[in-house]
């Protein structure tokens, strides 16, 4: 995270109504833009019920480079993280708290570079094909119970859970690639 702007979120006990209204506006604007581009979200979530919208991680060296970027993206529930600093950083602690409160934290998938390049200028490329595949919920309750019974450390628990999620993502990615490329071949 850019040190010159400081942490962009108010402490949980100091979230004001003004901050919440600004956040709702930013979420609505981003949601409407996403709806127009991707068509996935329901209008009701975007306008009247956006407190259920996700938190997401954003690379501090890309997203939080200007003061107004910092303000806008934090109001839109983007949390700054420093790529390469690992999981022990303020942004990761923040989203962990959100997860512990039952909130939704989203990470962007790999393979979107053809639509949103990871190089300047960071402008979406229109007309590109994207395949969206939503997998089944990953049930971790039994694994978590087993890890607790084995008295695993928090670090070991995170590693085991991460391994399960990573394997599920690997399988989902294979399914998505098969779907994407088979549809691409059909349309050629």
């Amino acid at each position: 995270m850019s040190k010159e702007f400081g942490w962009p979120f108010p402490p949980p006990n100091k979230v004001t109504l003004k901050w919440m209204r600004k956040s709702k506006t930013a979420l609505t604007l981003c949601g409407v833009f996403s709806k127009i581009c991707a068509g996935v979200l329901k209008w009701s979530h975007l306008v009247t019920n956006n407190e259920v919208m996700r938190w997401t991680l954003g690379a501090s060296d890309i997203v939080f480079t200007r003061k107004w970027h910092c303000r806008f993206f934090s109001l839109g529930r983007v949390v700054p993280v420093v790529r390469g600093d690992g999981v022990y950083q303020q942004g990761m602690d923040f989203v962990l708290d959100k997860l512990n409160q039952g909130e939704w934290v989203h990470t962007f998938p790999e393979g979107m570079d053809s639509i949103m390049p990871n190089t300047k200028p960071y402008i979406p490329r229109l007309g590109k094909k994207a395949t969206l595949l939503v997998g089944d919920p990953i049930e971790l309750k039994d694994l978590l119970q087993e890890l607790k019974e084995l008295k695993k450390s928090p670090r070991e628990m995170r590693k085991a859970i991460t391994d399960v999620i990573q394997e599920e993502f690997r399988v989902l990615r294979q399914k998505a690639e098969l779907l994407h490329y088979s549809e691409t071949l059909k349309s050629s």
Side-chain angles (χ1 to χ4, degrees):
M1 185 187 67
S2 175
K3 302 277 190 257
E4 70 183 275
F5 304 124
W7 185 245
F9 300 101
N13 59 343
K14 297 201 176 177
V15 176
T16 64
L17 187 58
K18 182 179 178 181
W19 194 91
M20 289 174 25
R21 284 183 182 148
K22 286 181 179 181
S23 178
K24 185 174 181 68
T25 300
L27 286 168
T28 300
L29 290 172
C30 290
V32 168
F33 179 75
S34 297
K35 176 73 175 174
I36 291 167
C37 292
V40 176
L41 302 170
K42 293 180 182 178
W43 285 108
S44 61
H45 285 314
L46 303 177
V47 179
T48 60
N49 194 21
N50 62 15
E51 44 287 325
V52 299
M53 296 294 281
R54 89 300 171 260
W55 291 88
T56 192
L57 305 173
S60 61
D61 61 326
I62 295 173
V63 178
F64 291 84
T65 55
R66 295 192 171 113
K67 189 169 185 158
W68 74 272
H69 289 170
C70 185
R71 170 68 75 194
F72 179 77
F73 287 109
S74 62
L75 289 169
R77 294 189 174 187
V78 178
V79 179
V81 291
V82 179
R83 294 183 297 180
D85 274 6
V87 296
Y88 301 105
Q89 56 176 292
Q90 189 173 11
M92 296 303 289
D93 291 341
F94 185 85
V95 296
L96 182 59
D97 286 342
K98 295 300 177 188
L99 287 169
N100 287 335
Q101 295 168 24
E103 295 192 45
W104 174 18
V105 175
H106 172 86
T107 57
F108 286 100
E110 296 295 327
M112 295 294 289
D113 285 349
S114 66
I115 295 168
M116 184 60 161
N118 200 16
T119 57
K120 290 182 179 180
Y122 303 111
I123 299 170
R125 296 179 181 145
L126 302 177
K128 297 291 185 175
K129 181 179 176 190
T131 299
L132 176 68
L133 182 61
V134 178
D136 294 323
I138 302 170
E139 182 55 57
L140 298 170
K141 190 176 1 175
D142 293 340
L143 174 62
L144 193 55
Q145 183 61 36
E146 179 184 334
L147 294 169
K148 286 178 180 177
E149 289 171 6
L150 293 171
K151 299 186 186 317
K152 296 292 184 179
S153 70
R155 185 178 193 135
E156 291 170 313
M157 292 171 84
R158 280 192 302 275
K159 171 72 170 117
I161 290 168
T162 300
D163 288 347
V164 169
I165 293 170
Q166 185 171 352
E167 178 58 21
E168 290 290 328
F169 279 178
R170 187 188 65 75
V171 170
L172 193 60
R173 179 181 183 166
Q174 288 176 335
K175 290 178 183 178
E177 286 176 345
L178 281 172
L179 182 63
H180 181 83
Y181 294 115
S182 68
E183 292 296 320
T184 301
L185 290 173
K186 286 180 190 176
S187 63
S188 298

